Amino acid sequence: MADAKPLFGKVALIGIGLIGSSMAHAIRRADLAGHISGYARRPETLARAREIGFADTLTGSIPEAVKDADLVVLATPVGSFGEIAAEMAPHLKTGAIVSDVGSVKSAVLRDVGPHIPDGVHFIPAHPIAGTEQSGPDAGFAELFDNRWCVLTPPPGTDKDALARLRTFWERCGSNVDVMEAKHHDLALAITSHVPHLIAYNIVGTADDLETVTEGEVIKYSAGGFRDFTRIAASDPTMWRDVFLNNREAVLEVLGRFSEDLSVLQRAIRWGDGDALFNLFTRTRAIRRGILDAGQDSAEPNFGRNRTKKDQ
Ligand code: NAP
C-alpha cells in the first residue's frame, strides 16, 4: 500500500528521454513525488513531454528545474553531466539528494562530485534497464520492473539518504545492489559495453562487405544478424559517451575478448570440434541462468513470433 505522503516532495528529472520519462511514469505509478519537474534542452522535446503529460512542470532552465527539489536525477548523456552539475550546484536545496542514471559510474564521481555543495547528498546510480529507443515517447512505467539498479555511494555517504534512494528505486520496481563505482564499471563493461561494441562492429562490418549485398544482409538477417542490429540501433550520443568515459574497463575486457576470439579462430583453423562444442555448451548454460533469474523471456526467439494482438 502506498504511504499517505510521497517519498519526496519534488523530484527534478534533468533529461526526459527514455530513462527520464520512464522514471516519471514509474514515480507517478507509485506516487513517489509530490511534484515532478522535467528539463530538456530543446523546445521540441519539452513540447512533446507536455503533450504526453508525465511531469507537473517542464522547463529549459536547469536552475528552475532543480529549485526546491528533494531529489535531482541527471538523465542526459554522461558527457554532459559535468557542465550540468556546475550550472545546477548554486541552486540545490540543502539536504537534497543528487543522483544520476548514467551507464558509467567512476566518471560520474569524477565529473559531478566536485560540484556538489556541502549539505547536499550525492549518490550515483545506474538502472540496468533500457531499450534501443530514445526520447520522451520511448518511456514506460514498467521499464525498471524486476531489473537491477546499482547504487555507487562515495565513501562517507549519509546512511539515511542512501536508504531513501534505495527505497525510491525499489518502489520504481527495481532490485537494488550497492557497490563501488570501479567494480560497477568492470561488471558493466562485460555485460553491456563490450556487447554493444561487438554489435556496432559486426553491423559495421556487414555494411562494409562488398561481396555480400546489402539486400542479402537484410533478407537473411534472421540467421542471427538482426539480433545484433537491435543493439547496434542504440543511441549514438549515449554510447559514444559510454566508451569515452569507461575506457579503462572496456579496454581490459576487450583484451580478454580478443584473446578468446583468437582461440576460437585457431580451433576453426585446426578443425578442433571439441573446443568449439565445449564452449558452445558452456554458453548455453549462461542463457539458462539468465532465464532462471527472470531477466529474459524463455519463449522461442524472444517471443517475437507472437502476433501483435497477443503482446
Ligand atoms: P535519451 O532518450 O536520448 O534522452 C536524453 C535526454 O537528455 C533528452 O531529454 C535530451 O533532450 C537530453 N539531452 C541530450 N543531450 C543533452 C545535453 N548535451 N545537455 C543536456 N541535455 C541533453 O537518452 P536515455 O536513453 O534516456 O539516456 C539517458 C542516460 O541514461 C544516459 O546517461 C545513459 O547512459 C543512461 N542509461 C541509458 C540506458 C538505455 O538503455 N538507453 C539504460 C540505463 C542508463 P534534448 O535533446 O531536448 O536536450
Side-chain angles (χ1 to χ4, degrees):
M1 208 179 79
D3 293 339
K5 200 165 159 252
L7 191 60
F8 292 104
K10 175 176 170 182
V11 173
L13 299 169
I14 307 301
I16 46 172
L18 168 69
I19 302 294
S21 67
S22 293
M23 287 183 72
H25 291 297
I27 290 168
R28 285 254 169 102
R29 183 182 65 172
D31 196 17
L32 297 178
H35 183 105
I36 301 174
S37 73
Y39 158 87
R41 266 179 323 181
R42 293 178 303 139
E44 51 269 43
T45 313
L46 292 167
R48 188 60 199 127
R50 218 161 266 133
E51 275 167 21
I52 304 168
F54 52 68
D56 297 298
T57 49
L58 288 152
T59 172
S61 153
I62 289 173
E64 196 182 313
V66 305
K67 187 170 181 289
D68 295 327
D70 304 286
L71 173 66
V72 175
V73 182
L74 304 184
T76 57
V78 171
S80 63
F81 283 6
E83 223 170 278
I84 291 174
E87 189 178 346
M88 75 183 181
H91 308 278
L92 293 168
K93 176 174 157 180
T94 303
I97 298 174
V98 171
S99 189
D100 75 302
V101 294
S103 308
V104 303
K105 297 275 60 94
S106 303
V108 172
L109 286 173
R110 180 197 65 200
D111 294 349
V112 178
H115 297 290
I116 302 296
D118 287 345
V120 171
H121 308 291
F122 173 46
I123 311 174
H126 178 201
I128 303 173
T131 73
E132 65 282 17
Q133 312 287 333
S134 4
D137 283 287
F140 55 100
E142 299 77 21
L143 180 68
F144 310 110
D145 288 349
N146 200 30
R147 297 287 171 255
W148 286 91
C149 181
V150 176
L151 309 184
T152 62
T157 295
D158 180 80
K159 282 199 176 58
D160 289 345
L162 181 60
R164 285 182 88 197
L165 194 63
R166 174 188 273 275
T167 303
F168 172 81
W169 277 108
E170 285 172 350
R171 288 174 57 185
C172 283
S174 291
N175 307 312
V176 174
D177 259 344
V178 177
M179 64 181 72
E180 279 190 17
K182 201 166 175 202
H183 185 74
H184 164 279
D185 290 351
L186 189 60
L188 268 290
I190 183 66
T191 55
S192 171
H193 306 168
V194 170
H196 273 79
L197 198 69
I198 293 167
Y200 282 124
N201 189 50
I202 186 92
V203 176
T205 302
D207 193 40
D208 289 343
L209 274 187
E210 279 156 13
T211 43
V212 179
T213 64
E214 199 181 311
E216 284 171 319
V217 168
I218 290 169
K219 204 160 72 176
Y220 307 140
S221 65
F225 182 72
R226 86 180 167 192
D227 292 337
F228 285 101
T229 61
R230 183 191 70 75
I231 298 180
S234 300
D235 189 70
T237 307
M238 167 187 155
W239 283 96
R240 176 201 63 197
D241 285 4
V242 167
F243 292 111
L244 293 179
N245 287 285
N246 197 20
R247 198 166 51 169
E248 207 182 306
V250 167
L251 291 178
E252 186 173 330
V253 173
L254 259 188
R256 289 286 292 267
F257 174 82
S258 309
E259 281 173 28
D260 293 343
L261 191 61
S262 302
V263 170
L264 279 182
Q265 201 174 352
R266 194 179 154 81
I268 293 168
R269 185 182 310 285
W270 294 101
D272 185 351
D274 286 348
L276 298 174
F277 187 84
N278 290 340
L279 174 68
F280 302 165
T281 305
R282 203 148 52 85
T283 55
R284 261 197 156 174
I286 301 257
R287 171 79 189 152
R288 268 197 302 273
I290 290 172
L291 296 179
D292 291 348
Q295 295 299 307
D296 201 2
S297 159
E299 288 181 70
N301 206 11
F302 310 115
R304 251 197 206 123
N305 293 337
R306 289 178 301 166
T307 60
K308 260 275 177 256
K309 159 168 95 39
D310 300 327
Q311 289 174 13

